[in-house]
Amino acid sequence: MSTDPEIQVPYDVLLELGMRSLGLVGVANPDARATMDVLLCADLRGVPTHGIQRLLTYVPRLRSGLINPLPDVRIESLAPALKIIDGDNGLGPVVATKGMAEAIEMAKSSGIGFAGCRKSNHFGACAPYVLMACRQKMIGIAGANSPPTMAPWGGLTKLIGNNPLGIGVPCEGDTPFVIDIAMSNSSRARIFNMAAKKEKIPGDWALDSEGKPTTDASEAIKGFVLPMGRHKGYGLAVAIDILSGVLTEGAFSLGLKSLAENWHEPQDIGHFFIAIDATRFMSWDVFSKRMKDLFGGLRSSRRIDPGSPIRIPGERGTQTEMDRRHNGIPIPPRFLETLKGLAEGNYDYDIPKF
Amino acid sequence: MSTDPEIQVPYDVLLELGMRSLGLVGVANPDARATMDVLLCADLRGVPTHGIQRLLTYVPRLRSGLINPLPDVRIESLAPALKIIDGDNGLGPVVATKGMAEAIEMAKSSGIGFAGCRKSNHFGACAPYVLMACRQKMIGIAGANSPPTMAPWGGLTKLIGNNPLGIGVPCEGDTPFVIDIAMSNSSRARIFNMAAKKEKIPGDWALDSEGKPTTDASEAIKGFVLPMGRHKGYGLAVAIDILSGVLTEGAFSLGLKSLAENWHEPQDIGHFFIAIDATRFMSWDVFSKRMKDLFGGLRSSRRIDPGSPIRIPGERGTQTEMDRRHNGIPIPPRFLETLKGLAEGNYDYDIPKF
C-alpha cells in the first residue's frame, strides 16, 4: 500500500466502486453486495488488510476463472441443526455469508446451529460473520482453514494454516464482544513487509528453515511462522482445519491453495459457522445486563499504563466503525485511483503479494 | 507430591480407593463412579495434576459442606439442541459428565447439542469429557471458567481465569485428536513450585504486581500469569467465561472462588459442552479415513529433531493410557498411603495448596 497521506472516502463511494468492479467480472448483484458488506466491515472496523484491498486479488482470480463468479451454491440439511454448504468455488464472502445465515436460521429453531462450507475461497475477516449473529442476539463463532504457513509442533514442513477463529457476543447498549484471531503470532505478510524494511522481527514469530528461532525477517521467510501460545495455537489450528475441511468433505492441510501465490488452482477453502441463541437462556435485557457487568468489571481493572483505558475485545473496532460511518474510511489516494480503475475495467496494477 | 520413586498401582485399586473415599463423605455410588472415571482418565493419560490427587481437596470440601455430596442436579431444555444444567453445587465431574451426556443426546437428534452448566465445581481436565463425545463418533468441545488468575490485557487486576478449553475428534484405528489447554502460558501452581526451588521462570509466564515482565518466580506470584498468545489467549479466556458463566446464569470473573484457597464459599464454576455428530456429514469410515490422511500428513513432516517423532495432539495421552491400563498408574508411595487413609476416613494430611 502507498505511504501517501490517506483521504477519507465515504462508505457509499467504496461500496459503489466495489459493486461495479465485481459486476464487471460477472458477479451477480446480491453476491457483489454480500462481498462488499464483508470487506467494508473490515475497513470500517480498522482492519484494512482484510478490507476492500482484497478486491485487487479477488478480481483477477475471478477474471482468470480461479474463482467462479456465478456459483451454484448448494445447501444441504444433514440434521435439524447441521447444514453443509458446497460453495462451488464462489467468492469466500458469498459462501460464508450464506453459511452464517444458515447457522442463524437453525439456531432460531434449535437454539444452536452449525454450518460447514467447502469449496470456498478466502472469506476476509471473521468479525463480519460473527457480527451477523450478534445482530440477531446470538453468539457467533466463525472459523476457516487456510493454506499452510506453520509446521506441526516439532516439525519443519509447512502443513497447517494460521487458521483464523472469530467469536462474537452481542450486548445491547455496549460494544459487542468480538475476537478475530489467527493462530500464528504474526502473519507472513507482516514479516515480508519487515524484511523489505530490513527490520528485525520478535523472537517468537518464526523459525528459520532449520527450525531455529530467528529475528532475521528474511531467514524467517525461508522458514515458517510460529503458532500463538506454542503447541496450544498449533492444536487449535489443527482443530479449525478439522472443522473447516475434514468434517465438511472439503480440502485441508496441503489441499489448500494460496490466494496470492497460486494462479493455476482454486483455493478450496473451508469454513464453519456456529450460532447460539442467547435469548433462549434468559431475556435479552438480562443477558445484556450480565455482559455489561462483565465489561464493567474488566474496565475497572487497575491499569499498567494509567493513560490507556482497558478495552473490551472488539470495542476499538466498534468505535472505529462508528467514526468511519460518519467520517469516511481512510484510503491512500493511489489505492483509490486503482479502485476507480478496477470499477472501469482497468486491470493494469500490481496484484498484492498477500 | 512426594519425590519418592513411584509404584505402579492398578487402575481398579485406585478406583476402589476413590469410590470408598467419596462414599464415606456421602457421595452416592453413581456420582462417585462418575467422579473417579473423570479423575482417573487424567491419571491414565499422564496428567496427574488433574487426577486422583484432587480427591485430597474435593473430600475436605465435601466434608465442610462447600461441595454438596447429594446434589439435586436439574436439567432444563431450552430448545431442541440447548440445555441448561443447574449443578446444585455438586462435584464438578458429576455435573460436567451430565453436561456432556446431554450434549451428546441432543447431537443424536439435532446433529449438534450445547449444554451449559452453572453452580458446579472444579471439573478436572477437559479431555475426559471430549473423549465421551469421541466414543460416540462425535466431535466434543468442553470449557469451564475458573477463579481469576489473569488481568485484562493492559490491566493489573486479576479478573479472568485461565479458563481451559478441550476439543476432541474421534478417529477409528488411530488416536483421537485431543487438545486440552488452559488460556495462560503456565499455571500459578507451576510457578509456586519453581519459587520453592528458587528457579527462574520463562519471561512470558507472568508479570509482577506492577505489570512488568519478570523471571523471578516469587515476584510473579505477587503479580499474575500471562495469557498464551498475549491478547489472543486473553480474548479466548473471556469468551470461555461468557459461554460458561454469563450465558448459563452462573458466576463469572470475580464471582468464581478458588478450589484450594477459599474455604468458606462454594466455587460456583460454570462449564459448557458441545457435541457434533461427525457421522451426519459422511460415513464413519470415510470420516476416519480423512482424519488418518490428516494425521499421516502431519506425521510425515520433516522434523527439527530427527529422533523425536511428530505427535498428533492427544496421541501421547492415548499411548500412556494404553500402557497404564495394563501396567498400572505410577503413584508416589506416600500419596498412596494418604489415599488408603482417605478411604478409611483418615483426614490427617496436608491439603494441597492448588
Side-chain angles (χ1 to χ4, degrees):
Chain A
M1 293 286 90
S2 161
T3 54
D4 294 346
E6 295 177 330
I7 52 176
Q8 305 293 113
V9 183
Y11 179 91
D12 289 344
V13 170
L14 295 175
L15 177 64
E16 173 65 19
L17 289 174
M19 296 279 292
R20 277 167 51 199
S21 302
L22 290 167
L24 217 52
V25 291
V27 176
N29 221 45
D31 288 357
R33 178 64 198 239
T35 302
M36 293 317 302
D37 281 348
V38 164
L39 295 180
L40 290 176
C41 176
D43 284 304
L44 285 170
R45 294 177 63 84
V47 189
T49 51
H50 292 67
I52 191 170
Q53 66 174 256
R54 291 292 177 166
L55 285 184
L56 303 190
T57 315
Y58 291 176
V59 166
R61 288 188 84 85
L62 285 157
R63 291 183 73 219
S64 58
L66 294 170
I67 299 176
N68 181 354
L70 290 170
D72 175 21
V73 177
R74 275 159 302 161
I75 301 169
E76 189 188 345
S77 178
L78 306 176
L82 284 189
K83 282 191 175 150
I84 185 81
I85 294 167
D86 186 311
D88 194 26
N89 194 29
L91 280 158
V94 170
V95 180
T97 300
K98 288 189 204 291
M100 184 52 101
E102 292 295 332
I104 290 168
E105 280 310 302
M106 291 185 284
K108 283 182 186 164
S109 49
S110 295
I112 185 172
F114 179 102
C117 301
R118 65 170 174 251
K119 291 196 193 304
S120 185
N121 284 284
H122 185 272
F123 79 173
C126 295
Y129 308 106
V130 303
L131 287 167
M132 285 174 63
C134 290
R135 287 192 288 274
Q136 305 292 322
K137 303 177 181 172
M138 292 187 184
I139 295 173
I141 303 175
N145 56 15
S146 57
T149 53
M150 305 200 294
W153 197 244
L156 286 170
T157 310
K158 287 197 277 276
L159 290 166
I160 286 291
N162 64 354
N163 306 340
L165 178 70
I167 303 178
V169 186
C171 178
E172 185 77 36
D174 206 320
T175 180
F177 168 91
V178 181
I179 60 172
D180 185 353
I181 57 179
M183 292 302 136
S184 55
N185 275 331
S186 185
S187 65
R188 274 175 67 81
R190 211 159 147 194
I191 296 173
F192 263 92
N193 287 338
M194 290 174 77
K197 297 182 202 159
K198 310 245 182 257
E199 290 173 356
K200 285 217 174 299
I201 60 169
D204 61 354
W205 278 16
L207 300 182
D208 68 15
S209 58
E210 292 310 307
K212 295 191 190 71
T214 182
T215 57
D216 181 328
S218 17
E219 290 304 314
I221 290 166
K222 294 181 212 151
F224 47 89
V225 297
L226 280 170
M228 65 116 181
R230 299 165 51 88
H231 64 284
K232 296 182 182 186
Y234 162 63
L236 284 169
V238 177
I240 293 168
D241 205 6
I242 292 170
L243 291 170
S244 306
V246 177
L247 186 64
T248 62
E249 290 194 273
F252 53 87
S253 187
L254 290 176
L256 302 158
K257 307 304 174 193
S258 169
L259 174 72
E261 290 169 40
N262 183 321
W263 289 91
H264 64 280
E265 290 168 294
Q267 281 201 274
D268 224 347
I269 300 288
H271 324 300
F272 73 93
F273 302 95
I274 299 175
I276 303 169
D277 187 353
T279 65
R280 294 276 192 156
F281 289 82
M282 64 198 82
S283 78
W284 174 233
D285 285 351
V286 171
F287 182 76
S288 292
K289 162 96 172 53
R290 290 171 66 79
M291 287 298 293
K292 280 183 273 198
D293 287 349
L294 173 68
F295 290 170
L298 297 175
R299 286 178 178 133
S300 73
S301 168
R302 221 158 49 92
R303 305 167 184 177
I304 294 178
D305 169 6
S308 297
I310 304 293
R311 283 211 178 78
I312 304 303
E315 184 173 8
R316 189 195 302 255
T318 303
Q319 289 167 347
T320 304
E321 178 171 349
M322 285 195 295
D323 173 66
R324 292 187 174 183
R325 280 199 186 276
H326 280 90
N327 302 318
I329 295 165
I331 299 278
R334 273 195 285 180
F335 173 47
L336 185 60
E337 290 312 305
T338 307
L339 278 179
K340 285 179 180 166
L342 205 64
E344 288 168 10
N346 180 352
Y347 305 116
D348 182 22
Y349 62 85
D350 291 333
I351 298 171
K353 294 217 159 34
F354 303 100
Chain B
M1 293 285 88
S2 161
T3 54
D4 293 348
E6 295 178 327
I7 51 176
Q8 305 294 113
V9 183
Y11 179 90
D12 288 344
V13 170
L14 294 175
L15 177 64
E16 173 67 18
L17 289 175
M19 296 279 291
R20 276 166 53 198
S21 302
L22 290 167
L24 218 52
V25 291
V27 177
N29 220 45
D31 288 357
R33 178 63 198 240
T35 302
M36 293 317 301
D37 281 347
V38 165
L39 294 180
L40 290 176
C41 176
D43 284 305
L44 285 170
R45 294 178 64 85
V47 190
T49 52
H50 291 67
I52 191 170
Q53 66 174 255
R54 291 293 177 166
L55 285 183
L56 304 189
T57 315
Y58 291 176
V59 166
R61 288 189 83 86
L62 284 157
R63 291 183 73 220
S64 57
L66 294 170
I67 298 176
N68 182 354
L70 290 171
D72 175 21
V73 178
R74 276 159 302 161
I75 301 168
E76 189 188 346
S77 177
L78 306 176
L82 283 189
K83 280 189 177 154
I84 185 80
I85 294 167
D86 185 312
D88 194 27
N89 193 30
L91 279 158
V94 170
V95 179
T97 299
K98 288 188 203 293
M100 185 51 103
E102 292 295 332
I104 290 168
E105 280 310 301
M106 291 185 284
K108 283 182 187 164
S109 48
S110 295
I112 185 172
F114 179 102
C117 301
R118 65 170 174 253
K119 292 197 192 303
S120 185
N121 284 282
H122 185 273
F123 78 172
C126 294
Y129 308 106
V130 304
L131 287 168
M132 283 174 66
C134 291
R135 287 192 289 273
Q136 305 292 323
K137 303 178 182 173
M138 292 187 185
I139 295 173
I141 303 175
N145 56 14
S146 58
T149 52
M150 306 200 294
W153 197 244
L156 287 169
T157 311
K158 287 198 276 276
L159 290 167
I160 286 290
N162 64 355
N163 306 339
L165 177 70
I167 303 177
V169 186
C171 178
E172 185 77 38
D174 205 320
T175 179
F177 168 93
V178 181
I179 59 172
D180 185 353
I181 57 179
M183 292 301 136
S184 55
N185 274 331
S186 184
S187 66
R188 276 174 67 80
R190 209 156 148 198
I191 296 173
F192 263 93
N193 286 338
M194 291 175 76
K197 296 183 202 155
K198 309 244 184 257
E199 290 173 356
K200 285 219 174 296
I201 61 169
D204 61 353
W205 279 15
L207 300 182
D208 68 16
S209 57
E210 293 309 307
K212 294 191 191 71
T214 183
T215 57
D216 181 327
S218 15
E219 290 304 314
I221 289 165
K222 293 180 213 151
F224 45 90
V225 297
L226 280 170
M228 64 117 179
R230 300 167 49 89
H231 64 285
K232 297 183 181 186
Y234 162 64
L236 283 169
V238 177
I240 293 167
D241 206 6
I242 291 170
L243 290 170
S244 306
V246 177
L247 186 64
T248 62
E249 289 195 274
F252 53 87
S253 188
L254 290 175
L256 302 158
K257 307 304 175 192
S258 169
L259 174 72
E261 291 169 38
N262 183 323
W263 288 90
H264 64 281
E265 289 167 296
Q267 282 201 273
D268 224 348
I269 300 288
H271 325 299
F272 74 92
F273 302 96
I274 298 175
I276 302 169
D277 187 352
T279 64
R280 294 276 192 157
F281 288 82
M282 64 198 82
S283 76
W284 174 234
D285 284 350
V286 172
F287 182 76
S288 292
K289 162 97 172 50
R290 291 172 65 79
M291 287 298 292
K292 279 183 273 197
D293 286 348
L294 173 68
F295 291 171
L298 297 175
R299 286 177 177 134
S300 73
S301 169
R302 221 159 49 92
R303 305 167 185 177
I304 294 178
D305 170 7
S308 296
I310 304 293
R311 281 211 179 79
I312 304 303
E315 184 172 8
R316 189 195 302 256
T318 302
Q319 289 167 345
T320 304
E321 179 172 349
M322 284 195 295
D323 172 68
R324 291 187 175 183
R325 280 200 185 274
H326 279 91
N327 302 319
I329 295 166
I331 299 280
R334 273 195 285 179
F335 172 49
L336 184 61
E337 290 313 304
T338 306
L339 278 178
K340 286 179 180 167
L342 205 65
E344 287 167 10
N346 179 353
Y347 304 117
D348 181 22
Y349 62 85
D350 290 333
I351 298 172
K353 295 220 160 28
F354 303 99

